Amino acid sequence: EDQVTQSPEALRLQEGESSSLNCSYTVSGLRGLFWYRQDPGKGPEFLFTLYSAGEEKEKERLKATLTKKESFLHITAPKPEDSATYLCAAVRGNMLTFGGGTRLMVKP
Amino acid sequence: NAGVMQNPRHLVRRRGQEARLRCSPMKGHSHVYWYRQLPEEGLKFMVYLQKENIIDESGMPKERFSAEFPKEGPSILRIQQVVRGDSAAYFCASSRLGLTDTQYFGPGTRLTVL
């Protein structure tokens, strides 16, 4: 069965402490891998789209990478305002399949 | 350049009533998707529509739920005879070119069934 799994479920970092979030997928014939950020009570906000293994995209303190089995969201020197839930999703058939998300808390 | 708009933002219904959720896609977007997010759970796909057509409704319960995206006007997600288990946040997303294009999400409608 096609699945998208994110780890860890929750991550606490000190401000400036870099880390990575993992998204592993078993979707056959991947046609796109998306990263979103979701703040409490709001809709997901688009971050990145990756289409092929080896692809990387960067935006401010965030960098997303993709291999044939997983994607990573690297956060460099995070700030408290980076605290949010980060979601990844894979295109499967006619739908986006979302992972459960990683809840990131950055303490000042 | 307005984003995806959803209304109402909050909706309270009693068991057995009907709920109508509206979604206006971004300008130039003809693909609309509906998702449901239950408390403490992830986003689950419900239905994918393109103007006047349902492309995939495999994530939508067969009974009580329906969706449309008419030629003119917003997309509507309709839930008849609501039950407490329908309480959730319902998100709409839109894209310009279809499924592999970026989907932009609206702020969601939070449905509470009393």
Side-chain angles (χ1 to χ4, degrees), chain A residues 36 38 41 51 93-96, chain B residues 37 56 58 99-100 103 110:
Chain A
Y36 289 87
Q38 187 174 26
Y51 290 106
N94 282 322
M95 66 185 74
L96 269 186
Chain B
Q37 189 171 40
D56 190 322
S58 59
L99 199 61
T100 55
Q103 293 183 25
R110 275 144 192 88

Side-chain angles (χ1 to χ4, degrees), chain A residues 7-28:
Chain A
S7 62
E9 288 186 11
L11 180 63
R12 290 188 176 192
L13 299 173
Q14 287 296 131
E15 183 172 3
E17 180 186 0
S18 301
S19 188
S20 295
L21 282 54
N22 177 266
C23 170
S24 63
Y25 60 91
T26 57
V27 174
S28 53

Side-chain angles (χ1 to χ4, degrees), chain A residues 33-48:
Chain A
L33 189 293
F34 296 81
W35 281 97
Y36 289 87
R37 166 191 172 132
Q38 187 174 26
D39 292 293
K42 296 190 176 181
E45 174 189 344
F46 171 73
L47 294 174
F48 302 108

